Amino acid sequence: MAASRVDVRKTYKLYIGGAFPRSESGRSFVVNDAKGKFLANASLASRKDARDAVVAARKAVPGWAGRTPYNRGQILYRIAEVLDSRGDQFVAELVRTEGVTAAKARTYVEAAVDRLVWYAGWADKIGQVVGNANPVSGPFFNLSSPEPTGVVAVVAPRGPLLGLVSVLAPVIVTGNTAVVLASEAHPLTAITLAEVLDASDVPGGVVNILTGTVSEVAPWLASHMDVNAIDLTGVTDPELATDLERAAADNLKRVRRAPATEPDWLATPGIDRLTDFLEIKTVWHPIGV
Amino acid sequence: MNFEYAPAPESRAIVDIKPSYGLFIDGEFVDGHGHSFKTVNPATEETLAEIAEADDADVDRAVKAARKAFRGWSRMPGKERAKYLFRIARIIQERSRELAVLESIDNGKPIKESRDVDVPIVAAHFFYHAGWADKLEHAGLGANPQPHGVAGQVIPWNFPLLMLAWKIAPALACGNTVVLKPAETTPLTALLFAEICQQADLPPGVVNIVTGAGGTGQALVSHPDVDKVAFTGSTDVGKAIARAIAGTDKKATLELGGKAANILFDDAPIDQAVEGIVSGIFFNQGHVCCAGSRLLLQESVADEVMAKLKRRMGTLRIGDPLDKNTDIGAINSAEQLARIRALAEIGEDEGAERWSPPCELPSSGFWFPPTVFTGVSQAHRIAREEIFGPVLSVLTFRTPAEAVEKANNTPYGLSAGVWTEKGSRILFMADRLKAGVVWANTFNKFDPASPFGGYKESGYGREGGRQGLASYLKAGA
């Protein structure tokens, strides 16, 4: 009788600055599958990990914001390509971790790919849609254009793939960099997505992904003085959401509040997730000879 | 040869200041229930009027009036709402001299500024936004954008009527109703504006004016039935407001402090730039959140620019705000004067070199001479803190990269200036400066069609233009 082959299991770590480190705290937490069976020990991110991720995200801002919109659009499209090519892997992972049917998982994976393609196309159009020339009453050239806000902290929603992609893509496509706190309930898919990002020409530091507990890590991101904005979409405890918004006021972060109920991620989005993390800059110059 | 100017005061006979003023709620002037306070002429320290203070119950009454009026105002066809705004714009033009004189008396700003800058832009704001009222479906928020509801608005003392216009015009155009609190030291033009609303037959409750100090403002922004908060003022108060509305559904626009860099390269048109530097910091006594309070000079031209700047500062005329020749008026309050003096002394203590042209200051009232500090380092408090007075800090740089680094080395990000004849360098700098408004080869220009507002701790949201309008709308269902 031949011995059955033993699986080579994956170690799930964090994703910071384009590398996959363990938590500096040396801590991990157990993640079970939908049936309660052990899946993996995920890294339990600490305050230090959050700060390291912000440093990496800040470092990546000038390079990423300085890319042409066309180039950022191509990189988002590349993420979609790589995600699509690994579709079966994500379907299997969603079935195992979330307990959804294979058909449902397939719907989510395809929608996530399509969402990335949709946002990829926005890269070189959003400036035309939300920026404009201003007809001022004087001899001046006057132009308003959107710019990325900078480093955006994102508390990702429960939907481990489609939800995550739906909040991450609009943040980075305009030139922001992100520190994402993955869904506490389903953290593993976020790290698998990091492998996709890592293989898609996304420069290191543009997306940083932490796994752990929201109540422990999110307050450090909300109060961090080098984070420019925070998306609270994944915060389900209203009291925590209020505390985070209050902490965010320390340096007047732009805050996207948590929705009252989990959004329907399959619906076509508006552009508000793009505009929430943009600044309008207006430039004046006299006209003369 | 020394030319003397004969005084050329604007007549104040055109204004009729009442001995006391109430609150404007639901279309009527009513008594306030707080402790009334006095507003003074900062150029003479003369008491102008006794002003009612709105307590919590008064604020609640005003919000209720605004809520009651919201139903009718928001459902009124946009083209009809527009006509009220056009009427208001016209009345402002008709009463422009009265408004300008009253503004200069209550605020201390030179009549040439209130007459030629503040009041004309106020009228323009109402005209611009009047035209939006029936075109909101083209504002970029979809087919059927909706107003938020009741807007609670708190404004500062540096541009009392202009800030009122920035707040009220877009709010009303979009179908919101308003409770506005003017600054404690400059309530008079807002109260005259209330009369203008009456003359325009604006429906009662659409605009309510509650006077008072910080407590009144706090009661207003934290009132549970206020849907939208708009605040212009200090960064500290802005942060307090952001904390106060955390966890609510209130939307906020915050236009806060600044410490703008005005950057001059060696190829700049220097005479023109000196005029821009002067208007950048001495316009409105430097009581301007976007003032060019940090002058960054390229080292090779620093001496030449400083010589020209000092000569130009020597020609600035300080004194009676109502005199048409006055360039620099009175500091708005004793409290603000004390703050400017304290920071200027700190500048000296920290080792920067202080200079003011010889000038005689009036014996009564609140005055501060135009002042420039050289030898300022980035760590000096006068290079970091908003002084909000006629005090300029001068730093130098060698390369464009160093200029960008120094300009952005501040928690603020409201405005910046760039002076150079090289177009590609303007765009290089404009791209890298973290500021909501960049003035290239000009400074301190404002227009209702042009969005204004900051990055970082200078606040969020924009005022003016299509982007400013969007702050008063939400996407339709």
Side-chain angles (χ1 to χ4, degrees):
Chain A
M1 192 179 84
S4 61
R5 185 176 176 274
V6 176
D7 286 346
V8 178
R9 288 181 182 169
K10 184 158 81 185
T11 307
Y12 289 89
K13 296 188 283 187
L14 307 175
Y15 183 53
I16 298 174
F20 291 87
R22 286 199 172 79
S23 169
E24 65 76 39
S25 65
R27 302 176 307 172
S28 63
F29 64 110
V30 171
V31 181
N32 291 329
D33 69 12
K35 293 178 184 137
K37 188 168 172 292
F38 175 81
L39 266 180
N41 291 309
S43 288
L44 185 62
S46 64
R47 173 175 71 167
K48 179 72 164 64
D49 296 319
R51 289 177 171 177
D52 289 348
V54 172
V55 169
R58 172 60 60 195
K59 204 172 148 201
V61 168
W64 183 240
R67 298 276 181 120
T68 63
Y70 176 49
N71 183 251
R72 281 198 302 270
Q74 287 184 91
I75 290 176
L76 257 83
Y77 187 79
R78 180 70 184 156
I79 303 172
E81 288 177 347
V82 177
L83 179 60
D84 194 66
S85 70
R86 299 190 189 181
D88 292 345
Q89 178 192 352
F90 278 91
V91 168
E93 190 162 316
L94 292 180
V95 168
R96 195 165 64 239
T97 58
E98 277 199 290
V100 293
T101 63
K104 189 115 190 167
R106 178 71 59 190
T107 309
Y108 289 146
V109 172
E110 286 171 355
V113 171
D114 292 354
R115 182 81 14 105
L116 283 160
V117 172
W118 191 76
Y119 276 118
W122 270 115
D124 50 9
K125 294 162 197 72
I126 189 72
Q128 292 175 311
V129 170
V130 302
N132 47 262
N134 302 305
V136 296
S137 48
F140 292 95
F141 163 89
N142 187 290
L143 189 74
S144 293
S145 2
E147 287 190 353
T149 296
V151 174
V152 182
V154 178
V155 183
R158 205 178 153 80
L161 180 65
L162 179 59
L164 173 56
V165 163
S166 299
V167 296
L168 176 62
V171 166
I172 61 170
V173 72
T174 56
N176 295 296
T177 63
V179 176
V180 178
L181 186 50
S183 159
E184 197 172 315
H186 303 297
L188 302 187
T189 308
I191 298 304
T192 311
L193 183 70
E195 294 164 8
V196 170
L197 299 171
D198 207 53
S200 305
D201 297 328
V202 179
V206 170
V207 180
N208 305 276
I209 299 179
L210 305 170
T211 53
T213 44
V214 173
S215 60
E216 182 189 355
V217 181
W220 299 118
L221 295 172
S223 64
H224 198 298
M225 294 300 274
D226 206 25
V227 171
N228 299 98
I230 187 163
D231 179 353
L232 302 177
T233 297
V235 181
T236 47
D237 170 8
E239 214 166 299
L240 177 63
T242 302
D243 288 348
L244 295 174
E245 187 177 346
R246 208 174 281 137
D250 285 355
N251 67 338
L252 290 165
K253 285 178 191 68
R254 287 73 175 118
V255 176
R256 185 178 168 108
R257 291 184 176 133
T261 54
E262 178 92 9
D264 173 12
W265 298 113
L266 289 166
T268 305
I271 61 167
D272 49 311
R273 287 188 175 273
L274 295 163
T275 54
D276 279 356
F277 306 110
L278 291 172
E279 305 289 331
I280 295 292
K281 178 184 279 178
T282 299
V283 180
W284 292 68
H285 195 279
I287 296 168
V289 286
Chain B
M1 186 169 167
N2 195 17
F3 290 100
E4 290 293 324
Y5 285 81
E10 180 69 51
S11 167
R12 62 179 284 177
I14 195 168
V15 299
D16 171 25
I17 301 176
K18 299 184 184 86
S20 68
Y21 288 87
L23 314 170
F24 183 65
I25 296 176
D26 210 12
E28 305 282 341
F29 283 96
V30 297
D31 289 340
H33 298 85
H35 301 285
S36 64
F37 57 97
K38 293 174 170 52
T39 183
V40 303
N41 180 339
T44 61
E45 298 176 58
E46 151 210 12
T47 295
L48 294 169
E50 185 93 10
I51 307 294
E53 186 197 43
D55 67 4
D56 290 4
D58 295 323
V59 168
D60 184 56
R61 214 167 3 262
V63 173
K64 285 200 169 89
R67 174 60 59 193
K68 196 174 77 190
F70 175 67
R71 200 182 156 84
W73 184 249
S74 58
R75 291 178 183 190
M76 183 184 290
K79 71 184 170 93
E80 305 303 330
R81 272 205 312 274
K83 289 180 201 165
Y84 283 108
L85 292 177
F86 281 124
R87 270 189 198 173
I88 290 171
R90 279 298 194 218
I91 299 173
I92 288 165
Q93 290 177 318
E94 287 154 10
R95 302 181 68 172
S96 63
R97 189 55 55 90
E98 183 185 355
L99 286 163
V101 171
L102 186 61
E103 194 78 307
S104 281
I105 291 173
D106 200 20
N107 168 278
K109 65 174 64 199
I111 185 71
K112 72 172 183 189
E113 290 178 10
S114 53
R115 182 196 62 201
D116 298 345
V117 181
D118 295 54
V119 175
I121 302 183
V122 169
H125 255 272
F126 280 96
F127 258 100
Y128 175 81
H129 288 97
W132 266 122
D134 54 359
K135 300 166 191 70
L136 299 175
E137 67 273 28
H138 302 289
L141 289 151
N144 189 25
Q146 297 296 315
H148 291 295
V150 175
Q153 308 179 316
V154 178
I155 59 171
W157 46 260
N158 57 341
F159 295 95
L161 191 65
L162 183 56
M163 292 300 105
L164 174 148
W166 282 27
K167 298 282 179 287
I168 292 183
L172 263 47
C174 294
N176 303 276
T177 55
V178 161
V179 180
L180 176 130
K181 188 196 89 68
E184 189 183 1
T185 60
T186 55
L188 293 183
T189 46
L191 294 163
L192 181 52
F193 179 81
E195 269 181 54
I196 290 174
C197 293
Q198 289 178 326
Q199 281 191 337
D201 282 330
L202 189 72
V206 171
V207 168
N208 304 274
I209 311 272
V210 291
T211 42
T216 306
Q218 217 174 347
L220 177 56
V221 300
S222 52
H223 192 288
D225 206 30
V226 164
D227 303 295
K228 158 81 190 175
V229 173
F231 172 74
T232 297
S234 74
T235 289
D236 282 346
V237 175
K239 289 178 181 178
I241 290 173
R243 287 183 196 107
I245 65 169
T248 69
D249 290 329
K250 288 181 168 67
K251 299 285 176 199
T253 310
L254 303 174
E255 203 271 89
L256 309 174
K259 192 73 189 176
N262 200 1
I263 306 162
L264 187 144
F265 286 94
D266 58 7
D267 68 337
I270 289 186
D271 292 328
Q272 190 188 328
V274 165
E275 291 306 309
I277 294 164
V278 166
S279 82
I281 186 62
F282 301 124
F283 173 65
N284 203 37
Q285 296 73 246
H287 300 329
V288 185
C289 46
C290 54
S293 53
R294 284 185 299 152
L295 177 62
L296 268 56
L297 297 177
Q298 195 154 25
E299 230 171 63
S300 50
V301 290
D303 291 344
E304 182 193 350
V305 173
M306 283 313 299
K308 287 188 167 174
L309 176 61
K310 286 179 175 176
R311 196 180 63 206
R312 179 66 180 90
M313 284 170 67
T315 68
L316 294 171
R317 300 179 56 79
I318 305 183
D320 181 6
L322 288 184
D323 191 317
K324 295 165 196 167
N325 292 319
T326 293
D327 296 305
I328 298 183
I331 301 302
N332 180 251
S333 65
E335 189 192 357
Q336 184 59 24
L337 180 59
R339 179 174 161 76
I340 297 167
R341 282 180 175 155
L343 273 163
E345 273 162 35
I346 288 165
E348 276 185 287
D349 292 347
E350 291 190 334
E353 193 183 321
R354 176 177 182 166
W355 184 86
S356 290
C359 59
E360 267 181 51
L361 300 179
S363 52
S364 63
F366 315 127
W367 306 92
F368 197 88
T371 300
V372 60
F373 279 96
T374 47
V376 178
S377 87
Q378 295 188 82
H380 285 165
R381 282 181 64 187
I382 54 169
R384 307 206 64 78
E385 295 177 30
E386 185 174 41
I387 298 172
F388 223 64
V391 181
L392 179 65
S393 301
V394 184
L395 298 90
T396 58
F397 68 93
R398 290 184 181 173
T399 64
E402 186 187 351
V404 168
E405 194 67 34
K406 285 185 168 169
N408 288 338
N409 182 9
T410 166
Y412 296 116
L414 190 51
S415 65
V418 182
W419 298 85
T420 171
E421 286 289 48
K422 193 174 174 191
S424 58
R425 185 184 284 156
I426 290 171
L427 298 178
F428 173 93
M429 294 298 292
D431 200 37
R432 282 160 182 77
L433 291 167
K434 298 286 175 210
V437 182
V438 177
W439 286 295
N441 292 326
T442 184
F443 209 92
N444 271 347
K445 293 287 182 289
F446 309 95
D447 194 282
S450 181
F452 183 90
Y455 283 39
K456 301 193 286 186
E457 294 190 22
S458 289
Y460 37 73
R462 292 292 176 267
E463 295 183 291
R466 188 165 61 91
Q467 291 80 2
L469 191 81
S471 305
Y472 284 95
L473 289 171
K474 54 187 176 190

